[in-house]
Amino acid sequence: MSLYRNTIWFFKGIREYTRGGYEAAARLFVENDVDVTVSERSYMITGANSGLGKAAALEIAKRGGAVHLVCRNKDRAEEARAEIARESGNNDIFVHILDMSEAKKVWEFAEGFKKDHKSLNVLINNAGCMINQRELNAEGMEMNFATNTLGTFILTKSLIPLLEKSDSPRVITVSSGGMLIQKLDTEDLQAEKCHFDGTLVYAQNKRQQVVMTEQWAKMHSSIHFSAMHPGWADTPALRSAMPDFHRSMKNKLRTPEQGADTIVWLAVSEAARTQPSGLFFQDRKAVSTHLPLAWTRTPPEEGQKFMKIMDDLANSFQPQ
């Protein structure tokens, strides 16, 4: 079954996830969807000092939004802030230093942000990693899971009350089409029981993000939740995590701006808001979260079980 999934997914990727796939899809875009001003709205973007996050931040800043860059490295974050402010002419760009793999620090940051800010209109969960050897952080969590899944869960969970108080709130999670090859596995969320493969662990994390998005949409009807696939984009993260793939595909990869296009569309357009909450998007269009005949669907009770596990795990790190 995994061979079938991988084969179908790869050919789908060649057709849809490359630069050519973006250019074909873009012919159907309604350009004035993103021809908007968002000067009264605030945005938080994790992993915003490079790649997709930085590209999205710049486009939102150009439209007047206040942008909170949540980054791990202070020097690179400040460089990104200065560049975004210079290119957009928007000085409402703010830097917050946070390692998304540290659960307690994520809680502390989110709780502090709620005390210091009266509103947050859009949260963009973009930060992620793909580590190819199994590593545990100081809190005992596998690093990919800690960053991609647990950190995203805690940040979103903590900020939901602030989002609910804000006008037309949205949560966008940058997932990956790689999740199509994985079925949610609630029995081994941290890849303890199987041969460790960083690419498959990442894909499982991205499936986890999609299930979280679907479940949050059911639980919080006042917030518009979405997950998205940026396609195969030429970013520092891809070059670092998958050097062989990058070398073989570099002439076909999307630019960061092309990869970030649907993030921006989901964040600023009214067209995105008219879509049902909880869907998975690719190139401004809702698409299936499953390949044909791939047996990756999550039964409702399994999705609820997953959220209970995540809730209990997140709460165990909450500062008292």
Side-chain angles (χ1 to χ4, degrees):
M1 179 58 71
S2 61
L3 177 61
Y4 165 79
R5 291 176 191 164
N6 292 344
T7 302
I8 295 297
W9 176 80
F10 182 75
F11 283 108
K12 177 182 176 68
I14 291 293
R15 186 176 68 252
E16 299 178 15
Y17 301 165
T18 56
R19 183 180 301 183
Y22 173 83
E23 291 168 348
R27 298 189 190 107
L28 301 178
F29 290 174
V30 178
E31 279 309 312
N32 63 8
D33 276 357
V34 293
D35 186 14
V36 297
T37 299
V38 293
S39 56
E40 300 299 317
R41 293 174 66 75
S42 59
Y43 298 77
M44 179 184 291
I45 308 177
T46 64
N49 63 271
S50 67
L52 303 176
K54 182 181 175 185
L58 176 59
E59 290 303 315
I60 292 168
K62 286 178 178 178
R63 290 161 175 78
V67 184
H68 296 271
L69 312 177
V70 179
C71 308
R72 186 175 57 179
N73 184 286
K74 188 178 192 319
D75 290 342
R76 287 191 297 224
E78 290 293 351
E79 287 176 13
R81 187 205 65 76
E83 184 179 333
I84 291 166
R86 183 175 64 251
E87 292 191 20
S88 67
N90 181 347
N91 289 318
D92 288 334
I93 315 297
F94 309 96
V95 165
H96 308 270
I97 303 306
L98 174 67
D99 187 334
M100 287 293 295
S101 73
E102 299 181 17
K104 288 180 182 177
K105 294 286 180 63
V106 177
W107 271 118
E108 290 167 358
F109 164 73
E111 294 301 313
F113 189 90
K114 286 190 295 187
K115 291 176 182 176
D116 295 339
H117 297 83
K118 294 181 180 179
S119 68
L120 177 66
N121 300 104
V122 181
L123 169 62
I124 300 174
N125 291 310
N126 169 70
C129 68
M130 183 192 297
I131 298 173
N132 289 310
Q133 290 82 36
R134 192 170 194 278
E135 298 177 14
L136 302 184
N137 66 11
E139 295 171 326
M141 296 289 104
E142 191 275 317
M143 282 293 292
N144 292 290
F145 174 81
T147 304
N148 300 330
T149 304
L150 184 58
T152 296
F153 183 90
I154 291 173
L155 185 63
T156 306
K157 174 183 169 70
S158 181
L159 291 177
I160 279 173
L162 182 61
L163 287 156
E164 288 179 325
K165 293 192 300 184
S166 306
D167 179 56
S168 187
R170 310 181 190 193
V171 174
I172 300 149
T173 299
V174 180
S175 181
S176 169
M179 65 91 192
L180 291 168
I181 66 171
Q182 288 283 303
K183 181 178 181 178
L184 178 68
D185 182 2
T186 58
E187 301 303 318
D188 192 20
L189 293 178
Q190 297 191 63
E192 299 171 277
K193 303 175 183 178
C194 60
H195 170 72
F196 191 90
D197 181 313
T199 304
L200 296 181
V201 169
Y202 179 82
Q204 175 66 205
N205 295 162
K206 294 301 174 177
R207 171 62 71 184
Q208 292 161 3
Q209 290 179 342
V210 167
V211 175
M212 287 192 297
T213 297
E214 293 167 344
Q215 293 294 317
W216 278 325
K218 295 174 184 176
M219 297 161 60
H220 304 283
S221 59
S222 65
I223 301 174
H224 188 273
F225 289 90
S226 58
M228 62 80 65
H229 174 42
W232 294 340
D234 191 353
T235 65
L238 179 69
R239 292 195 290 273
S240 172
M242 303 179 71
D244 293 341
F245 179 80
H246 180 266
R247 275 192 297 271
S248 65
M249 295 294 294
K250 62 183 179 181
N251 294 328
K252 294 182 172 64
L253 297 176
R254 299 180 178 201
T255 66
E257 292 74 20
Q258 290 171 336
D261 176 82
T262 295
I263 303 173
V264 176
W265 181 79
L266 287 166
V268 306
S269 76
E270 283 304 311
R273 194 76 167 91
T274 65
Q275 296 285 322
S277 184
L279 298 182
F280 180 70
F281 290 83
Q282 174 188 311
D283 293 332
R284 304 192 189 183
K285 183 173 66 175
V287 296
S288 176
T289 55
H290 303 281
L291 295 170
L293 304 175
W295 299 95
T296 53
R297 297 186 185 277
T298 303
E301 62 275 11
E302 195 72 2
Q304 294 163 11
K305 175 184 175 181
F306 170 64
M307 294 299 277
K308 177 67 165 58
I309 293 170
M310 292 303 302
D311 216 37
D312 290 345
L313 187 57
N315 289 341
S316 73
F317 290 104
Q318 187 171 15
Q320 299 302 315

